[in-house]
Amino acid sequence: MPPIRDKFTIHSRAVVCQDVELKGDITIGAGLAFQLLSLVPTCPPTRLWGSLGTVVHPKATIFAIAGAVVIGSNCIIEENVIIVNRRKEVMRIGDDNLFEIGSNPQPKESNVPSIGNFNTLSTKCRVHHTVQISSHCVVGAGCLLVPTEDEVLEDYTVVYGPEAERRVWTGRGKLQEADLRRKHTEYLKEMLPKFNRLRRGDGQ
């Protein structure tokens, strides 16, 4: 296997702590300037909030071993999360995703080929590379999601319990959740630079 060449592209709005382990071709971007939502189908979409940039906590690890890893805007990647792309295809992680502390442990890695928007991977869960996550999904704390065949989690799927059972939620409360996550991101962007040195991308 040829040596892995490092190339880090970190958007100016992103907050990536120095004590983060990066390897390979990785893009951490701010994405679109505004999230557009329309609550009424006949009405034009309205500006709800601006892009805040992704936040990567200390002790997180992102490895692009074969293909690149591209992370969208407003994501929160907490401590001891490890994201690994072992495939040649680009791993794309959308906007507004939350990776909670220690998600994907044993062996503490996520080989997921793609992740949509507004998903939550809860504390100490593990998701195998055979799983593709759509949008507004939740993988519960400690869940082990390792199907032997490729599986797509459809929008609004919730995985819970020791047997990784599935159910679908209605989406009720998603706007409140989005607002809370925005405030969480704003707080982290204010506090983390006070106690951590930040990492910059190549050429910055």
Side-chain angles (χ1 to χ4, degrees):
M1 183 177 179
I4 300 173
R5 299 184 62 180
D6 293 337
K7 178 185 176 184
F8 309 140
T9 303
I10 300 174
H11 193 278
S12 60
R13 288 177 179 264
V15 171
V16 180
C17 294
Q18 185 68 38
D19 192 14
V20 169
E21 193 168 1
L22 303 177
K23 192 70 177 176
D25 186 355
I26 298 168
T27 299
I28 302 174
L32 298 175
F34 288 92
Q35 178 74 25
L36 299 179
L37 288 180
S38 177
L39 301 181
V40 181
T42 57
C43 294
T46 54
R47 289 185 174 186
L48 195 60
W49 61 80
S51 175
L52 301 174
T54 284
V55 175
V56 185
H57 284 242
K59 304 298 183 182
T61 300
I62 304 172
F63 283 170
I65 294 178
V69 175
V70 178
I71 300 173
S73 68
N74 302 350
C75 294
I76 300 174
I77 301 173
E78 296 184 347
E79 293 91 339
N80 298 324
V81 171
I82 297 183
I83 298 172
V84 178
N85 185 13
R86 300 183 186 277
R87 300 186 176 204
K88 293 182 179 179
E89 298 84 2
V90 175
M91 175 192 287
R92 299 188 183 278
I93 297 175
D95 301 332
D96 299 281
N97 292 297
L98 172 60
F99 293 80
E100 293 185 348
I101 295 173
S103 56
N104 308 302
Q106 300 176 6
K108 292 187 178 177
E109 61 188 42
S110 171
N111 292 314
V112 181
S114 68
I115 298 176
N117 306 315
F118 284 101
N119 297 294
T120 299
L121 275 70
S122 303
T123 302
K124 293 188 177 180
C125 72
R126 178 186 171 194
V127 181
H128 198 250
H129 68 86
T130 53
V131 179
Q132 179 173 325
I133 300 176
S134 299
S135 296
H136 296 281
C137 296
V138 177
V139 181
C143 285
L144 187 63
L145 196 55
V146 287
T148 55
E149 298 181 355
D150 289 351
E151 178 182 358
V152 177
L153 292 186
E154 301 295 339
D155 291 353
Y156 300 102
T157 297
V158 177
V159 181
Y160 66 97
E163 303 299 324
E165 299 176 71
R166 318 289 203 274
R167 67 178 178 86
V168 177
W169 71 296
T170 62
R172 182 179 180 182
K174 68 179 181 180
L175 293 182
Q176 292 83 350
E177 169 67 19
D179 186 59
L180 182 63
R181 193 168 296 185
R182 178 185 60 83
K183 292 177 181 178
H184 186 187
T185 303
E186 288 175 343
Y187 174 79
L188 291 173
K189 290 195 68 175
E190 178 184 352
M191 297 304 296
L192 282 177
K194 293 182 179 180
F195 304 99
N196 297 272
R197 297 181 64 186
L198 300 184
R199 180 188 285 266
R200 301 299 180 188
D202 296 338
Q204 291 185 318

